[in-house]
């Protein structure tokens, strides 16, 4: 058997309307030396059956059926089976352009990179139309850990380092450090932080190939989360700890970490004013007050430098610690998000 160069891993759950396009985007890749591990995570719809039909037509596809355990469990199951030199993680409701794997593999081999990071598109659908936002950075190759760590704030700032689907990972790195996806909400972020902690050679490509689809009302990125605030607090601790362990304490890094925290705090408040929130009005106000009086908020506001007038205005009631005004502002944001997806996408992109 020829050496498998890339193991593609895709967890599947309740995506029967989308999974076909995701699979076909891989079958259409100009790069062909891969195995495609699809994990049916106990999906209740016909997603698993759809995957099985594709597997009958292409020997590179292997479908693993298991009881529902969540995306982390599904990805970890496939990691244990993967035989490729590199690993690529695909989400089952998105799709990739034909030259993605070929260009990422070439970049990895040419630079002996332990991590390849490419640009991507955020496609926000509203009706039959969509708004496409390209997220990318300049081409750059880092050949030592210190240089990458000192400049990593730039890539966190451009949302290049959080997700797994715009990256090519080295399997030997994953195995050497026994890296797995933790059983937690938004498991890709802590996995990436664990991987980034060890890398030295990182290659960035300005080319964008992956299409992240904002369309599903039941997706994790659009659903109300009762524990979102606690998760964001935990994530902030991870970020602060990463830079502490790295010994990186530049002004640029501190500002990025602070601004990132404040922007996500705005999202946590909007989560509370969501129409899907199950809290009473009294409980919502209490939750917002709790967030506003978190000491981390004052510390972050003292350092963060909002990039737009829009964001500066949004932070005024938070700086004042005015629960009512903060709630009112957030209610307006939520109204726009739930009723005018296009406008919300534009405002978020320009924040």
């Amino acid at each position: 058997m020829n050496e498998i160069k890339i193991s593609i891993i895709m967890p599947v759950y309740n995506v029967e309307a989308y999974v076909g396009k995701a699979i076909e985007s891989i079958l259409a890749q100009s790069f062909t030396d891969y195995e495609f591990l699809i994990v049916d995570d106990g999906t209740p719809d016909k997603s698993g059956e759809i995957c099985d039909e594709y597997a009958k037509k292409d020997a590179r596809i292997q479908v693993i059926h298991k009881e529902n355990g969540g995306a982390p469990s599904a990805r970890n199951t496939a990691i244990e089976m993967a035989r490729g030199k590199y690993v690529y993680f695909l989400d089952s409701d998105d799709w990739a352009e034909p030259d993605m794997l070929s260009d990422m593999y070439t970049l990895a081999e040419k630079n002996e990179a332990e991590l390849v990071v490419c640009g991507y598109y955020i496609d926000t659908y509203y009706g039959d139309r969509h708004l496409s936002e390209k997220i990318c950075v300049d081409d750059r190759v880092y050949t030592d850990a210190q240089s990458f760590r000192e400049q990593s704030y730039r890539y966190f700032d451009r949302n290049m380092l959080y997700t797994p689907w715009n990256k090519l990972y080295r399997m030997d790195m994953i195995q050497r450090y026994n890296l797995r996806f933790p059983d937690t909400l938004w498991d890709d972020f802590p996995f990436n932080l664990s991987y980034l902690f060890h890398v030295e050679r990182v290659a960035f490509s300005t080319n964008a190939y992956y299409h992240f689809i904002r369309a599903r009302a039941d997706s994790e990125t659009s659903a109300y989360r009762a524990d979102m605030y606690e998760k964001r607090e935990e994530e902030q601790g991870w970020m602060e700890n990463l830079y502490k362990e790295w010994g990186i304490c530049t002004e640029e890094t501190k500002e990025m970490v602070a601004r990132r925290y404040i922007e996500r705090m705005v999202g946590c408040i909007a989560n509370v004013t969501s129409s899907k929130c199950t809290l009473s009005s009294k409980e919502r106000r209490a939750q917002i007050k709790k967030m506003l009086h978190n000491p981390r908020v004052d510390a972050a506001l003292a350092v963060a430098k909002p990039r737009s007038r829009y964001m500066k205005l949004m932070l005024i009631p938070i700086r004042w610690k005015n629960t009512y005004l903060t709630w009112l502002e957030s209610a307006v944001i939520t109204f726009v998000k739930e009723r005018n997806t296009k406008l919300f996408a534009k405002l978020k992109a320009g924040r």
Side-chain angles (χ1 to χ4, degrees):
M1 182 178 294
N2 295 330
E3 176 189 0
I4 294 173
K5 295 182 172 63
I6 299 178
S7 294
I8 303 164
I9 293 175
M10 183 177 74
V12 169
Y13 185 82
N14 209 27
V15 286
E16 64 180 22
Y18 305 91
V19 69
K21 184 171 184 177
I23 294 173
E24 289 174 8
S25 75
I26 295 300
L27 298 181
Q29 292 291 308
S30 56
F31 186 91
T32 59
D33 296 332
Y34 62 77
E35 64 175 356
F36 193 1
L37 304 177
I38 301 176
V39 184
D40 167 13
D41 189 39
T43 185
D45 65 358
K46 296 182 179 180
S47 298
E49 298 173 30
I50 293 171
C51 296
D52 285 335
E53 289 302 311
Y54 279 101
K56 292 177 183 178
K57 302 174 184 177
D58 197 309
R60 294 170 299 180
I61 300 177
Q62 181 177 356
V63 182
I64 303 99
H65 298 277
K66 61 183 287 295
E67 293 183 0
N68 179 248
S73 172
R75 290 189 179 114
N76 292 338
T77 296
I79 287 175
E80 297 296 334
M81 304 173 62
R83 297 172 293 165
K85 179 178 180 180
Y86 299 94
V87 181
Y88 175 76
F89 297 100
L90 174 74
D91 278 0
S92 54
D93 51 357
D94 299 330
W95 63 279
E97 296 187 358
D99 290 329
M100 180 186 71
L101 292 179
S102 176
D103 290 356
M104 293 178 84
Y105 178 80
T106 299
L107 194 59
E109 290 288 288
K110 178 182 178 181
N111 298 285
E112 298 181 354
E114 296 161 334
L115 180 67
V116 173
V117 184
C118 292
Y120 59 92
Y121 297 94
I122 299 177
D123 294 342
T124 303
Y125 282 79
Y126 49 100
D128 296 330
R129 301 180 180 181
H130 75 275
L131 179 69
S132 188
E133 177 190 2
K134 183 179 180 180
I135 307 295
C136 65
V137 293
D138 293 337
D139 292 325
R140 180 74 183 269
V141 176
Y142 294 92
T143 58
D144 65 278
Q146 187 65 21
S147 297
F148 167 66
R149 292 172 180 182
E150 289 175 353
Q151 297 299 314
S152 61
Y153 74 93
R154 299 178 182 273
Y155 304 107
F156 277 117
D157 218 7
R158 285 294 293 160
N159 291 318
M160 298 296 293
L161 298 179
Y162 297 107
T163 59
W165 31 251
N166 66 325
K167 299 173 179 64
L168 194 65
Y169 304 83
R170 282 277 295 267
M171 175 55 81
D172 59 353
M173 291 278 291
I174 291 175
Q175 300 294 19
R176 183 186 313 155
Y177 298 106
N178 194 30
L179 304 178
R180 298 294 186 271
F181 288 83
D183 185 16
T184 185
L185 174 64
W186 301 321
D187 56 297
D188 43 7
F189 180 50
F191 174 83
N192 277 335
L193 290 184
S194 298
Y195 192 91
L196 291 173
F197 185 81
H198 300 287
V199 299
E200 295 185 4
R201 302 182 67 90
V202 185
F204 288 89
S205 171
T206 193
N207 296 325
Y209 306 99
Y210 191 85
H211 289 260
F212 170 70
I213 309 300
R214 280 186 180 152
R216 296 173 56 206
D218 61 337
S219 70
E220 286 194 353
T221 55
S222 63
Y224 164 71
R225 290 288 176 181
D227 59 347
M228 179 183 285
Y229 173 60
E230 289 73 21
K231 285 300 304 179
R232 291 307 192 193
E233 286 295 300
E234 185 179 26
E235 287 183 353
Q236 182 67 6
W238 293 337
M239 281 289 288
E240 292 172 354
N241 185 65
L242 176 70
Y243 281 106
K244 181 180 179 180
E245 293 292 323
W246 275 353
I248 304 295
C249 193
T250 64
E251 293 302 315
E252 295 87 352
T253 295
K254 289 190 291 185
E255 192 279 328
M256 179 278 296
V257 173
R259 179 160 37 83
R260 174 189 179 279
Y261 176 73
I262 287 299
E263 289 176 353
R264 281 155 179 76
M265 185 59 62
V266 171
C268 288
I269 296 170
N271 182 60
V272 173
T273 57
S274 166
S275 62
K276 301 175 184 178
C277 179
T278 57
L279 299 177
S280 67
S281 296
K282 183 178 180 180
E283 289 171 331
R284 295 186 192 206
R285 290 193 297 270
Q287 181 73 355
I288 292 173
K289 183 176 181 179
K290 174 184 176 181
M291 288 187 244
L292 295 179
H293 287 81
N294 184 334
R296 267 184 175 162
V297 172
D298 289 335
L301 287 172
V303 178
K305 299 176 182 178
R307 300 296 177 85
S308 66
R309 183 178 300 176
Y310 163 64
M311 181 57 68
K312 290 177 181 177
L313 290 173
M314 287 181 61
L315 294 182
I316 289 176
I318 295 177
R319 290 182 186 277
W320 290 349
K321 298 189 185 302
N322 189 308
T323 301
Y324 176 73
L325 288 180
T326 302
W327 173 84
L328 185 62
E329 176 185 74
S330 185
V332 173
I333 295 172
T334 301
F335 181 86
V336 173
K337 179 180 180 180
E338 295 180 352
R339 291 169 175 78
N340 194 326
T341 306
K342 181 180 180 181
L343 176 59
F344 179 78
K346 287 184 175 180
L347 290 173
K348 188 172 183 179
R351 68 183 180 184

